[in-house]
């Protein structure tokens, strides 16, 4: 059987491709595990004070790489501050838009959905509630 330029035969190439596909699948599963681990670490903790999150804006919580928004009065949302395009940190929300400074991706402050590319996937959502004057991950 003829070999390709790398010196590998067809079976070896299929094996390498299979291993690569399995690695990608496992990497995808690991991202979900990382979020679960993050939530278990901060669950029940105050991640921001309501007074620090302006209506139409938000607050970047660098310690946990979370961005907290208040799209409308009294409604608080939280998302991963890691852009889904290349993993850069997004900036502080302004005018109900979360922007990534690296490549200009924009996300809606009320849903985390990508509204301007290059990112196409939404930011990871964290469920939060208000307890007193604090915003807590549930």
């Amino acid at each position: 059987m003829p070999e390709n330029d790398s010196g590998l035969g067809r079976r070896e190439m299929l094996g390498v491709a299979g291993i690569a596909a399995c690695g990608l699948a496992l990497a995808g599963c690991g991202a979900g595990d990382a979020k679960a681990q993050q939530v278990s670490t901060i669950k029940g903790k105050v991640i921001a004070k309501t007074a620090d999150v302006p209506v139409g804006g938000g607050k970047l919580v660098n310690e946990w790489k979370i961005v907290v928004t208040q799209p409308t009065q009294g409604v608080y949302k939280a998302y991963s501050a890691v852009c889904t395009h290349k993993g850069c940190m997004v900036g502080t929300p302004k005018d109900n838009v979360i922007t990534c400074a690296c490549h200009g991706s924009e996300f809606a402050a009320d849903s985390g959905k990508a509204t301007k590319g290059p990112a196409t996937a939404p930011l990871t959502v964290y469920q939060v509630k208000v307890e007193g004057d604090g915003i807590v991950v549930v």
Side-chain angles (χ1 to χ4, degrees), residues 14 24 30 45 50 57 59 61 66 79 82 84 92 108 114 122 133 135:
L14 288 172
L24 288 172
K45 291 185 180 179
T50 55
K59 177 178 176 60
V61 185
I66 293 177
Y79 309 99
V82 178
T84 58
T92 302
D133 66 347
I135 301 165

Side-chain angles (χ1 to χ4, degrees), residues 30-42 80 124-127:
D33 293 341
K35 184 201 177 213
Q37 188 175 26
Q38 166 93 346
V39 169
S40 69
T41 302
I42 61 174
S80 169
T124 300
V125 176
Y126 290 93
Q127 298 301 316

Side-chain angles (χ1 to χ4, degrees), residues 6-127:
S6 67
L8 297 176
R10 178 181 281 170
R11 286 187 181 161
E12 288 87 357
M13 288 301 292
L14 288 172
V16 169
I19 291 169
C22 288
L24 288 172
L26 290 174
C29 292
D33 293 341
K35 184 201 177 213
Q37 188 175 26
Q38 166 93 346
V39 169
S40 69
T41 302
I42 61 174
K43 187 174 183 176
K45 291 185 180 179
V46 174
I47 58 170
K49 297 286 187 184
T50 55
D52 296 336
V53 183
V55 176
K59 177 178 176 60
L60 192 60
V61 185
N62 288 316
E63 181 179 358
W64 293 300
K65 295 182 180 176
I66 293 177
V67 60
V68 182
T69 68
Q70 186 179 184
T72 58
Q73 182 69 42
V75 175
Y76 296 91
K77 305 281 185 163
Y79 309 99
S80 169
V82 178
C83 180
T84 58
H85 173 238
K86 291 282 185 181
C88 294
M89 291 286 288
V90 298
T92 302
K94 189 172 165 182
D95 299 324
N96 278 322
V97 177
I98 304 166
T99 305
C100 180
C102 289
H103 301 106
S105 293
E106 293 181 357
F107 302 88
D110 64 344
S111 66
K113 290 183 181 175
T115 58
K116 178 182 171 194
T120 56
L123 295 173
T124 300
V125 176
Y126 290 93
Q127 298 301 316

